[in-house]
Amino acid sequence: MSKARYLVSDDFMADPSAHVFEDKIYIYPSHDWESGILENDHGDHFDVKDYHVFSMDDMDAEAVDHGKVLEVADIPWGGRQLWDSDVATKNGKYYLYFPLKDRTDVFRLGVAVSDTPYGPFIPEENPIKASYSIDPCAFQDDDGSHYLYFGGIWGGQLQYYRNNKMTYPMDLPHWHDVALCPKVVKLTEDMLQFDEEPKDLVILDQEGNPLKQGDLERRFFEASWMHKYGDKYYFSYSTGDTHLLCYAIGDNPYGPFTYQGVILTPVVGWTTHHSILQFKGKWYLFYHDCVPSGGKTWLRSMKVVELEYDDHGLIKTLNGQEC
Ligand code: FUB
């Protein structure tokens, strides 16, 4: 596969988190729709109300829609806006991690459980204790430990927190200060809670200095993803208002990570969000753009394209407007 292909033509799906479960590819996207809410910097126009699950038998196969698997109305503590989710499996159960604003309009992370990768997922009564912000990415390390990576600034509310506590009216650091970090946390054995205080995932430049808040083309904004290539840990993310998908490499799940470069240049649309998957010996980037909706930033369509590494393990940059 050299050219990207759209995966769903009759609906709008974004933020695809892809995994191989039971020998199939499963994709967990956000379900975009035309809510009529005007665009703003808080992202109110991403008014996702439910999730669908898709599966594919092979990378060039049709993406099969398994239907609605969770909706805001089912979540006991739910307010509004189900944003980017991800799924992990352990002991035959599947755990869907999702961000949702509670009834005070604060983003929390929730978990919903299923016996199958295609749901339906039954939500827990309460959000994960001490959780906050958005975009959970679930990662299983080789020793079987599970981690969540999360966080997002602006509408994702990460700027209101320091040391895992909401410190409103705290806001973003100044331009010359160290950038706000995404968070990493180990999950409990039952997969339902944090097993520790979330830690900062520090991204360093090539000289070993933490990236600064004003380094808009490299600093973290949202859309965490973790994968392993060889024995290295690759943390990838979106730079938000500069619309790049970037990555950094580390030696363990906590980091620190050293910035390496751009995976995908800006797509048509405001957000850029992805996952990275190995399937049958090849690597793939799942992502979205707004070409099918004619550039409406809140109506996104998910795609897949092959990803390549060079001999040093560096990811070859893809052109978001051409691939
Ligand atoms: O889909 C809603 C939000 O848009 C996601 O959580 C962000 O990462 C951005 O893609």
Side-chain angles (χ1 to χ4, degrees):
M1 184 194 296
S2 51
K3 199 87 180 125
R5 76 173 177 108
Y6 288 100
L7 295 170
V8 174
S9 58
D10 59 352
D11 210 341
F12 294 105
M13 299 284 163
D15 311 326
S17 297
H19 291 275
V20 177
F21 293 135
E22 300 174 350
D23 297 327
K24 276 191 185 187
I25 302 154
Y26 280 92
I27 310 167
Y28 303 92
S30 308
H31 185 190
D32 284 350
W33 67 292
E34 184 60 87
S35 67
I37 297 173
L38 294 180
E39 282 180 278
N40 60 39
D41 286 349
H42 296 295
D44 287 337
H45 47 301
F46 300 112
D47 190 32
V48 180
K49 289 183 184 314
D50 61 55
Y51 295 130
H52 285 223
V53 173
F54 293 81
S55 69
M56 299 196 297
D57 289 335
D58 214 334
M59 203 48 84
D60 53 6
E62 183 194 350
V64 176
D65 185 354
H66 292 272
K68 197 190 294 180
V69 296
L70 181 68
E71 60 183 320
V72 173
D74 294 338
I75 300 167
W77 53 274
R80 63 181 181 128
Q81 293 182 287
L82 280 169
W83 281 12
D84 162 59
S85 64
D86 196 11
V87 169
T89 184
K90 184 174 177 181
N91 297 335
K93 297 266 187 209
Y94 292 82
Y95 300 86
L96 172 70
Y97 299 95
F98 58 89
L100 175 67
K101 282 180 180 161
D102 65 17
R103 290 181 187 140
T104 64
D105 239 20
V106 173
F107 265 119
R108 308 290 305 272
L109 304 180
V111 56
V113 187
S114 176
D115 291 328
T116 73
Y118 48 85
F121 289 87
I122 309 301
E124 293 289 294
E125 278 296 308
N126 295 297
I128 295 173
K129 280 184 214 118
S131 66
Y132 60 96
S133 199
I134 60 164
D135 289 3
C137 159
F139 171 72
Q140 181 177 359
D141 204 0
D142 298 337
D143 67 357
S145 303
H146 289 264
Y147 298 86
L148 278 192
Y149 296 83
F150 66 92
I153 63 175
W154 294 20
Q157 303 179 345
L158 187 64
Q159 65 274 21
Y160 303 139
Y161 293 81
R162 295 293 187 277
N163 300 317
N164 301 314
K165 300 274 178 305
M166 189 183 258
T167 49
Y168 193 82
M170 184 64 81
D171 213 321
L172 289 169
H174 291 129
W175 276 48
H176 297 295
D177 290 339
V178 171
L180 269 192
C181 293
K183 307 297 166 195
V184 48
V185 64
K186 196 171 189 175
L187 290 168
T188 50
E189 287 294 316
D190 66 5
M191 303 288 278
L192 300 177
Q193 298 292 338
F194 293 167
D195 198 30
E196 58 187 357
E197 286 255 320
K199 296 174 170 43
D200 282 350
L201 184 153
V202 178
I203 304 172
L204 306 171
D205 64 18
Q206 297 284 341
E207 284 74 50
N209 303 309
L211 297 184
K212 301 285 190 334
Q213 194 64 39
D215 191 346
L216 301 184
E217 303 233 322
R218 297 192 296 180
R219 64 90 173 88
F220 172 81
F221 189 103
E222 63 186 3
S224 295
W225 188 257
M226 175 60 69
H227 75 281
K228 256 190 114 172
Y229 181 77
D231 60 354
K232 297 289 186 192
Y233 294 77
Y234 285 55
F235 177 74
S236 47
Y237 58 98
S238 163
T239 61
D241 52 348
T242 50
H243 317 290
L244 299 165
L245 283 182
C246 295
Y247 73 109
I249 296 181
D251 292 323
N252 66 71
Y254 293 105
F257 291 81
T258 303
Y259 178 87
Q260 302 295 329
V262 173
I263 298 173
L264 184 71
T265 63
V267 295
V268 171
W270 200 96
T271 67
T272 186
H273 195 128
H274 69 301
S275 59
I276 293 171
L277 178 75
Q278 187 180 26
F279 186 71
K280 295 187 176 172
K282 291 186 171 185
W283 288 88
Y284 298 90
L285 178 75
F286 288 76
Y287 64 109
H288 65 231
D289 70 24
C290 300
V291 171
S293 70
K296 289 184 179 153
T297 60
W298 60 96
L299 295 179
R300 301 163 292 179
S301 294
M302 61 180 178
K303 307 172 79 169
V304 62
V305 67
E306 194 172 338
L307 195 68
E308 290 182 274
Y309 298 82
D310 71 13
D311 294 342
H312 305 288
L314 298 179
I315 296 174
K316 297 187 184 171
T317 303
L318 292 163
N319 185 322
Q321 309 275 325
E322 285 173 10
C323 65

